[in-house]
Amino acid sequence: MIHAISRLVAGCRPDGGSVVEADGPVAAVTVGALPGVEFYRVWGSNGAPVVGDGGTEAAFAPYFPGAGGARFVILRWPPETGRGPEGDPDALTAEVEQVFPGLLQALAPDEKGYHATDTVDMSVVLEGELWLRLEDGFETRLTPGSCVVLRGNRHSWSNRNAEPAVMASVFIGAHGAPGQAGVV
């Protein structure tokens, strides 16, 4: 079972040699609107990165990258309980927008959890099991080692198991195709 997430960021010194720029734990980020979901923001860039450079801080504003940008996240989903968020809806919305700018714009207001973005998402289940649903009704159970590539299509995730699930994802910002429902 994965108990902690850590990251190591390496870069290049001016002489071209390798150097560790950051090494340590990644704190879980949570919001009241998504009870029990833990976001680990491992790395992100808002544009095409420069090899060996980029500093030690990850870019996560907006949450989903624009064209050429990237995000590396690990998410831990709790089992579904049927309980929703508790608290003032306006305050919950404001918290999500402050912590994860642009995330709510990707969610379909009329369908639980469905979202689409102008990104190519590459994910692998590390622990537990998740269900992937597409808007056409297709759904599949994903177990550790299952890899998924999503290319801007509407989808949602759920954890129907009794244990938490952990998935690592890389989002690559892409150009949206005409008529697609992306938000970036």
Side-chain angles (χ1 to χ4, degrees):
M1 175 177 231
I2 298 170
H3 295 286
I5 304 296
S6 62
R7 72 172 183 166
L8 182 138
V9 178
C12 297
R13 294 188 305 261
D15 66 4
S18 299
V19 62
V20 172
E21 296 178 337
D23 184 8
V26 177
V29 178
T30 61
V31 291
L34 301 167
V37 178
E38 296 176 358
F39 293 77
Y40 295 86
R41 299 183 286 198
V42 179
W43 189 251
S45 65
N46 282 330
V50 175
V51 173
D53 189 21
T56 60
E57 294 304 315
F60 274 92
Y63 181 74
F64 294 106
R71 304 289 185 265
F72 177 18
V73 299
I74 297 175
L75 292 110
R76 183 184 311 268
W77 275 275
E80 290 184 357
T81 63
R83 284 187 21 202
E86 296 179 6
D88 174 55
D90 291 335
L92 293 170
T93 298
E95 178 191 28
V96 173
E97 189 55 35
Q98 178 185 2
V99 176
F100 302 118
L103 177 66
L104 293 178
Q105 294 170 350
L107 297 175
D110 57 339
E111 299 178 55
K112 182 182 177 188
Y114 277 97
H115 58 284
T117 59
D118 289 340
T119 59
V120 174
D121 305 346
M122 297 168 281
S123 304
V124 59
V125 176
L126 303 174
E127 186 174 282
E129 69 178 43
L130 289 169
W131 285 82
L132 168 66
R133 293 183 302 242
L134 302 181
E135 68 179 331
D136 68 358
F138 173 85
E139 66 178 12
T140 190
R141 179 177 157 257
L142 304 168
T143 57
S146 296
C147 297
V148 176
V149 178
L150 299 167
R151 299 177 298 163
N153 53 292
R154 287 170 42 88
H155 63 282
S156 68
W157 303 100
S158 63
N159 178 358
R160 301 175 190 169
N161 198 354
E163 300 297 324
V166 178
M167 184 167 70
S169 296
V170 173
F171 310 139
I172 305 294
H175 296 286
Q180 285 191 304
V183 298
V184 178

